[in-house]
Amino acid sequence: MARFFKPQKRKTDTKHKEITINRLDHHGAGIGHLNGKSVFVDGLLPTETAVVQLTEDKKNYARARVIKRLSDSNARIKPHCAIYDQCGGCNLQHLSHQGQVIAKQQVLSELMAKFAVIDQANCIQQPPIISQAWHYRRCARVAVRVENNGQLQFGFRKKQSNDIVDVSTCPVLAQPLNELLPPLRELLQSLKGRRFIGHIELTYADNGCVVLIRHLAPFNADDSALIQAFAVQHNIMLFLAPETDELIHSYGDQPYYEIEGLKLTFSPKDFIQVNGDVNRNMVAQAIEWLDVQPQDRVLDLFCGLGNFSLPMAQEAKAVVGVEGIDEMVLRATDNAQANALHNATFYQANLEQDVTKLVWAQEQFDKILLDPARAGAAGVMEHVVKLAPNKVVYVSCNPATLARDSQVLLQQGYQLERLGMLDMFPHTGHLESMALFVKVQKKQKK
């Protein structure tokens, strides 16, 4: 009988160990070292020493939890939120907002220097774009669960858990949404069909609050009447989602937000940036960096509902937006028409596949903007280079994939000229970043 090698699982050493933190990673966790191996510990800051216990032990790294903090950094502050130690929403409230901004800038610079080989002499480190530290978040998902005794759990997920931590107010949530939480909880508790509620999605649009209720079974007549009366009383835009792909606009106007003098309507199912102030400044900076001119043709990849495309269309000769989700393409097209922008055209395409033969990919563009999801834009970078634009602005919510994708541009004759951090998500380890790449003109031979 043949024998096959079966590797044994690495046994985690759970003995308590002392560690000192040197720096933060790009998720906000502290990094220290034990026996030459990097150890990631949530909740610790650089210079702090603590007793920890390993929770995960891999070949090249480990993770640990804090048993006891032995020393505190001068940058440590008391968290503003009463449930910070339980809620999974924020992970950096123990660091001052200014300290968070500095740490995020450092993480971005280190990652780009390590993987993208920045030319420090020619790359301008842009001052960070920041907003108010509290009540900035205009989108949130509220988890709902009914206990066996009929009582409603209403709040956010606990750290690394599916359990729910009860929430009556949230210091990062937009204040109009905060004011809606108590009466919304009371409404849901009163419903006969509350057991069938999946979750609640809240959005603060420029024209008011939006509530989306996902439910697994139809509401009876009494529950429907209560929900409708709640929408009227609180003047909210109400949407119901009885199925995954179904959305019923039950009450109120269509939500929208304004940017660069434009009004962009959206559905509660659409992705919009959670921080309205940072988003407005981000779009303005992208247009400035690209230096969009009246003769320019601009390509916007991962364009969504036109957040960058439509403001750029006000400055350019033509803008082409490409997005993978059909509904977003339709929304962007509708927004262009509603804002009388006839020089913006939108296409649906899977940007992880070969796009070479698609109609829009045959056109010529002077400038390109990319704003991919966390996975980055690896599938389309080679084609971006092939189109040979004069300038490329890459907007990223993951500095690791930005650094990775940047290598393609740098290896093909582009130079990183500007790099900036955008504090889209205060009190979390997440950061938004923007990089400007300019095609280096080859010197002509004499």
Side-chain angles (χ1 to χ4, degrees):
M1 180 183 293
R3 290 189 175 184
F4 296 94
F5 172 72
K6 185 177 181 181
Q8 293 184 343
K9 291 184 178 180
R10 181 184 296 271
K11 189 175 181 181
T12 301
D13 180 2
T14 57
K15 290 183 180 179
H16 293 181
K17 303 176 188 298
E18 188 174 311
I19 193 171
T20 299
I21 299 302
N22 309 118
R23 59 191 179 89
L24 297 180
D25 76 351
H26 64 283
H27 298 295
I31 304 178
H33 292 86
L34 291 173
N35 300 321
K37 182 186 294 186
S38 295
V39 181
F40 298 84
V41 193
D42 286 328
L44 291 182
L45 298 175
T47 73
E48 292 185 335
T49 300
V51 175
V52 301
Q53 181 183 51
L54 297 186
T55 57
E56 186 179 2
D57 191 6
K58 299 293 186 180
K59 182 178 179 180
N60 298 318
Y61 71 92
R63 298 189 185 279
R65 66 184 182 91
V66 177
I67 300 300
K68 183 180 181 181
R69 205 166 60 245
L70 302 177
S71 67
D72 285 352
S73 163
N74 291 332
R76 178 174 287 276
I77 63 170
K78 183 180 178 180
H80 186 73
C81 179
I83 57 171
Y84 172 64
D85 61 336
Q86 303 173 56
C87 181
C90 296
N91 67 327
L92 276 180
Q93 282 194 25
H94 57 285
L95 178 61
S96 69
H97 187 218
Q98 181 181 8
Q100 294 172 31
V101 170
I102 293 171
K104 291 177 182 181
Q105 284 182 291
Q106 184 177 358
V107 164
L108 176 61
S109 296
E110 287 177 353
L111 276 171
M112 292 297 286
K114 181 177 180 180
F115 296 105
V117 192
I118 299 176
D119 181 352
Q120 299 287 354
N122 293 303
C123 179
I124 298 174
Q125 300 284 332
Q126 193 75 12
I129 289 178
I130 61 176
S131 67
Q132 59 186 26
W134 306 106
H135 300 302
Y136 68 85
R137 191 176 184 94
R138 62 179 177 180
C139 308
R141 174 178 291 191
V142 180
V144 177
R145 182 184 298 152
V146 178
E147 299 289 354
N148 292 333
N149 62 5
Q151 288 301 303
L152 190 81
Q153 282 190 309
F154 179 91
F156 301 139
R157 298 291 179 186
K158 291 185 177 181
K159 293 180 179 179
Q160 300 177 342
S161 171
N162 285 324
D163 292 338
I164 299 172
V165 56
D166 191 78
V167 172
S168 58
T169 185
C170 173
V172 301
L173 196 62
Q175 192 55 32
L177 295 180
N178 261 323
E179 294 169 0
L180 201 58
L181 291 179
L184 181 57
R185 177 205 296 269
E186 186 177 340
L187 166 70
L188 299 180
Q189 180 65 52
S190 71
L191 300 179
K192 295 283 178 46
R194 59 184 178 275
R195 290 188 182 276
F196 301 113
I197 298 173
H199 63 261
I200 308 296
E201 295 178 31
L202 303 175
T203 307
Y204 180 49
D206 282 1
N207 57 329
C209 294
V210 184
V211 176
L212 167 60
I213 303 176
R214 294 195 177 274
H215 52 105
L216 307 177
F219 291 115
N220 63 30
D222 289 341
D223 283 353
S224 296
L226 286 172
I227 294 170
Q228 198 72 13
F230 177 88
V232 173
Q233 178 185 354
H234 294 277
N235 194 28
I236 64 169
M237 289 165 273
L238 175 66
F239 292 79
L240 302 176
E243 301 288 345
T244 302
D245 297 325
E246 186 177 2
L247 192 66
I248 299 171
H249 190 171
S250 182
Y251 181 81
D253 298 328
Q254 187 72 20
Y256 67 82
Y257 68 90
E258 295 183 359
I259 191 156
E260 294 289 315
L262 304 172
K263 183 184 291 186
L264 304 191
T265 60
F266 63 92
S267 159
K269 290 172 61 178
D270 295 341
F271 169 81
I272 64 170
Q273 296 287 358
V274 302
N275 193 320
D277 287 342
V278 170
N279 183 55
R280 282 186 285 273
N281 289 319
M282 176 176 71
V283 170
Q285 180 172 280
I287 294 173
E288 178 190 347
W289 285 15
L290 281 175
D291 189 24
V292 179
Q293 297 296 317
Q295 71 274 14
D296 285 338
R297 290 179 50 80
V298 184
L299 176 63
D300 181 9
L301 299 174
F302 309 92
C303 68
L305 51 77
N307 187 56
F308 289 99
S309 310
L310 298 179
M312 289 193 297
Q314 295 185 118
E315 312 293 334
K317 178 180 181 180
V319 174
V320 171
V322 184
E323 167 61 41
I325 302 173
D326 286 309
E327 290 184 6
M328 298 288 268
V329 174
L330 293 174
R331 197 93 59 230
T333 301
D334 289 344
N335 279 325
Q337 294 175 352
N339 287 280
L341 293 170
H342 307 297
N343 59 336
T345 309
F346 297 91
Y347 296 89
Q348 189 278 331
N350 184 345
L351 295 174
E352 294 180 358
Q353 298 178 354
D354 183 13
V355 299
T356 308
K357 297 181 181 179
L358 299 180
V359 173
W360 58 267
Q362 307 297 316
E363 301 178 23
Q364 295 296 313
F365 297 97
D366 304 291
K367 292 156 186 178
I368 294 180
L369 183 140
L370 305 92
D371 183 18
R374 292 189 61 80
V380 78
M381 292 307 298
E382 292 294 343
H383 193 71
V384 169
V385 171
K386 184 179 179 181
L387 290 171
N390 299 321
K391 294 184 178 181
V392 176
V393 162
Y394 192 130
V395 180
S396 171
C397 59
N398 185 351
T401 51
L402 168 62
R404 179 200 67 198
D405 295 344
S406 296
Q407 296 178 59
V408 178
L409 292 165
L410 297 172
Q411 291 166 4
Q412 297 297 323
Y414 285 84
Q415 180 173 288
L416 178 59
E417 286 205 351
R418 290 180 180 268
L419 179 66
M421 193 279 289
L422 302 87
D423 191 27
M424 185 73 74
F425 317 94
H427 310 298
T428 79
H430 300 298
L431 66 93
E432 199 89 3
S433 54
M434 184 182 295
L436 169 66
F437 300 88
V438 177
K439 191 170 183 59
V440 178
Q441 301 298 323
K442 294 182 179 179
K443 294 182 180 179
Q444 295 182 348
K445 294 182 180 180
K446 294 183 179 180

